[in-house]
Amino acid sequence: MYWCAGIFLLLPIAYFIRDWRNIQLVLCLCTIPMFSLWWLIPESPRWLLDKRRYSEAENVLQKICASNKTKLPVGAVDAKTADEGPQAKIWNMFTHRVLFIRTFIIFFNWLAVNLLYYGLSLNIDNLAGSTYLNYLILTMVEFVAYIMCLLLLDRTGRKRLYCVCMFTGATACLAVILPISLGDESHLWIATVLAMVGKLCASGCYAILYIMSAELFPTVMRNSGIGCCSIFENLGGMVSPYIADMGLMIGGAFAQGLPMMVFGAVSILAGALSIALPETLHRTLPETIQDAIDFDKKTKSNKNGHIPKAEDLELQVPLTTDKV
C-alpha cells in the first residue's frame, strides 16, 4: 500500500515540474528524512547475536515481545542462540532434478513478472490518451491488485491465484493486437483498457511471487534464494525498457501492440511453467534440502485424501504468553 502511495505521489510532482532532471532532484531531496530512521529503527537481533552482544539483542527482543503481548523465555538469548544450525548454499538447489526444475521455474518467473510489470509501466507513452491520466489509472489498478491478493491469497492458494493472474495478464497483453489490427483510432481505447488489465494482473503476480518463493525455498537457504531471485528480477527490469521502446523504433500501427505481444508471450510461458510448482498454503515449510525434495510427494499425498495433522499445519512455535 505504501508502495502505491509513493508511485501516486510521483504523479503531481511530474505534472507540475515536467523536466526529468528537476523531477529526479526533488525525489532525491524527499529521501533526506529517511536518515532519521537511524535513530528510530532498532538494530537487528540476528546481527547483535552474531557480534555476541547478547544483552542488546535481549533488550530488542524484549521490546518485540512486549508489542506482541508475549514474554521472552528466561535464558533464551545466549551463545547457543547464535547457532543457526545446519546451513546450505544456493547451488545445493541444483543438485537434485526436482530442486533444479523448481529453482529454474522460480527464477524465470521473477524475470517474467518484473519484465511484465515495468514493461507495462514504461509502455505508457505508447498508449492512447493522456500519459498522466493513464499513469493515474495504472496506480489505481495496482492498489486494487494488492487488495485482491490480501482478500484471496489465503482462500484460493498461492499457485492457483498466481497462475490465474499470470494467464489473465498475458491474455490481455496479447489481445491488444485485435483493436490495433482490426479497428481504427476510435478503438485504441480498448488497447489501453487491456493494458490496464495486464498491469492489474502483473501487480498481483508480483505480490504473490514474493510469498510463494520464500515458502518454496528451504529454511537453510531461504535468504540466499530470495537474493538470487532479485538478480533475475533485475534482469527483467534491464530488458523491459528496450522491449517497451520497440514500438517507438518501428512506429506505425503496430507501435502500441508489439511490446504488449512480447510481454504476453513471456507471461504465457512463465504461467505454464508455474503450474509445475507445488502449493504452499497451509503446508509446513521445508527446512532442509531433503524437505524441499519431498515437498512434492507430500502435496500428492494430501491430494489423495490424507488430512494433515494439526501440528503439521503449524508454521511456527509461539512464544509463551502471559497466561503461561
Side-chain angles (χ1 to χ4, degrees):
M1 304 308 171
Y2 284 93
W3 168 271
C4 290
I7 60 178
F8 175 78
L9 291 175
L10 175 61
L11 181 60
I13 295 175
Y15 183 81
F16 289 106
I17 297 179
R18 299 298 174 104
D19 182 73
W20 71 268
R21 293 179 179 84
N22 293 330
I23 293 175
Q24 189 67 36
L25 177 60
V26 171
L27 296 179
C28 291
L29 293 176
C30 289
T31 63
I32 292 179
M34 300 293 289
F35 286 103
S36 63
L37 298 179
W38 179 284
W39 296 275
L40 297 177
I41 295 182
E43 185 53 79
S44 165
R46 181 179 291 275
W47 183 83
L48 292 172
L49 286 172
D50 187 61
K51 299 300 180 182
R52 301 185 181 278
R53 295 158 61 173
Y54 303 126
S55 60
E56 297 178 52
E58 186 172 4
N59 290 335
V60 174
L61 293 174
Q62 290 284 9
K63 294 179 180 178
I64 296 175
C65 289
S67 65
N68 293 332
K69 297 181 180 181
T70 59
K71 287 185 178 180
L72 189 68
V74 178
V77 180
D78 52 22
K80 296 181 180 180
T81 311
D83 183 12
E84 298 182 356
Q87 297 295 308
K89 302 298 183 181
I90 186 60
W91 51 78
N92 293 128
M93 290 294 288
F94 299 95
T95 57
H96 191 277
R97 180 179 60 85
V98 173
L99 300 182
F100 178 84
I101 295 175
R102 186 183 305 163
T103 304
F104 170 79
I105 294 174
I106 294 173
F107 287 166
F108 182 78
N109 272 269
W110 273 97
L111 187 150
V113 167
N114 204 39
L115 178 71
L116 180 63
Y117 179 90
Y118 285 107
L120 290 171
S121 301
L122 295 171
N123 193 50
I124 192 172
D125 285 339
N126 296 331
L127 301 178
S130 169
T131 300
Y132 297 96
L133 179 59
N134 290 338
Y135 183 88
L136 175 62
I137 299 176
L138 283 176
T139 305
M140 294 174 62
V141 299
E142 184 166 355
F143 182 83
V144 172
Y146 297 145
I147 294 293
M148 177 188 68
C149 292
L150 188 64
L151 297 176
L152 298 179
L153 197 56
D154 287 337
R155 291 178 171 86
T156 63
R158 284 81 160 106
K159 185 177 75 170
R160 183 179 302 175
L161 185 60
Y162 179 82
C163 291
V164 169
C165 289
M166 184 63 80
F167 284 125
T168 304
T171 303
C173 291
L174 294 175
V176 169
I177 196 64
L178 297 178
I180 294 177
S181 59
L182 302 179
D184 50 31
E185 292 186 359
S186 63
H187 297 95
L188 292 181
W189 65 271
I190 302 177
T192 302
V193 172
L194 292 172
M196 301 304 173
V197 174
K199 182 61 180 295
L200 172 74
C201 296
S203 301
C205 289
Y206 224 134
I208 300 168
L209 193 57
Y210 268 106
I211 298 174
M212 189 166 64
S213 301
E215 292 177 344
L216 286 174
F217 283 113
T219 303
V220 292
M221 62 175 63
R222 185 163 291 127
N223 291 340
S224 300
I226 296 299
C228 290
C229 288
S230 298
I231 296 176
F232 288 87
E233 172 191 9
N234 292 326
L235 288 176
M238 292 167 59
V239 176
S240 59
Y242 298 98
I243 299 178
D245 287 343
M246 289 172 58
L248 300 177
M249 290 186 293
I250 65 173
F254 289 93
Q256 182 179 356
L258 183 59
M260 301 291 287
M261 293 180 62
V262 176
F263 298 145
V266 175
S267 300
I268 285 286
L269 179 58
L273 291 174
S274 62
I275 296 176
L277 295 175
E279 178 57 65
T280 60
L281 181 63
H282 299 317
R283 298 287 310 281
T284 302
L285 302 186
E287 297 185 9
T288 64
I289 296 294
Q290 189 60 44
D291 289 342
I293 296 174
D294 297 336
F295 207 65
D296 281 320
K297 300 177 182 178
K298 295 178 181 178
T299 303
K300 294 176 181 178
S301 63
N302 290 340
K303 289 181 179 179
N304 292 332
H306 171 69
I307 301 177
K309 298 179 181 179
E311 56 267 23
D312 293 335
L313 299 179
E314 289 291 337
L315 300 183
Q316 58 183 358
V317 179
L319 295 172
T320 57
T321 61
D322 293 333
K323 296 180 181 180
V324 178

